[in-house]
Amino acid sequence: MFVTLSAQIGAALMVAVCLFAAWPGARPQRWAAAGVFVAWVGSAALQNRDDLINPQYAIFALDVVAAALFVGLALAWRRAWLMAMAAFQLLTTATHVAVVIDLRIWVYAYLTAYLVWSYALLAALAWGGVLAWRERGGR
């Protein structure tokens, strides 16, 4: 699943950010961290490595579910970091839509956009973790 060094570093970063956000966090941080963890591991597990040219419909479906989760969390708790997470997840989903609409999009452009939005989403989750840590008196 995470066979390259960059994938292993990304997975380690994802786990660290999810643990950082969930450990001191209240309910929104924990739900968001769980959603990110499931989406990242699920995306890696569902990726069709034999056909990287065509759209990854299974990952697209998982990303739609993740977008619904993050939008729902943002609407329920009205936190800026949750709204950022929802926005970045919607951009990730839009990247899938672009590839479905136009198969001429270069696979590396698709993967680069997907990674940029994913790491931006992780940054927003880390922001939520910092806020939770500060609320608990971590200054």
Side-chain angles (χ1 to χ4, degrees):
M1 196 174 345
F2 299 103
V3 292
T4 65
L5 179 61
S6 61
Q8 293 167 353
I9 291 169
L13 180 65
M14 179 269 306
V15 169
V17 169
C18 287
L19 289 174
F20 174 71
W23 175 56
R27 190 175 306 166
Q29 281 92 346
R30 289 183 182 154
W31 277 94
V36 168
F37 183 80
V38 168
W40 272 56
V41 172
S43 291
L46 293 172
Q47 183 181 23
N48 182 358
R49 287 169 185 74
D50 296 329
D51 185 16
L52 292 176
I53 302 297
N54 292 309
Q56 301 279 326
Y57 290 108
I59 298 173
F60 176 45
L62 179 64
D63 282 339
V64 167
V65 171
L69 171 69
F70 298 142
V71 167
L73 289 172
L75 291 173
W77 274 284
R78 307 268 189 206
R79 307 269 168 76
W81 64 272
L82 278 171
M83 291 178 201
M85 283 186 68
F88 292 130
Q89 186 61 39
L90 287 170
L91 286 168
T92 301
T93 305
T95 302
H96 287 291
V97 172
V99 172
V100 169
I101 290 171
D102 188 356
L103 292 176
R104 296 174 299 169
I105 294 177
W106 194 34
V107 69
Y108 290 117
Y110 163 71
L111 292 174
T112 301
Y114 192 84
L115 288 173
V116 166
W117 303 135
S118 297
Y119 284 110
L121 186 140
L122 268 185
L125 179 60
W127 174 20
V130 167
L131 293 176
W133 180 70
R134 290 178 66 191
E135 287 172 5
R136 299 245 179 182
R139 306 277 170 231

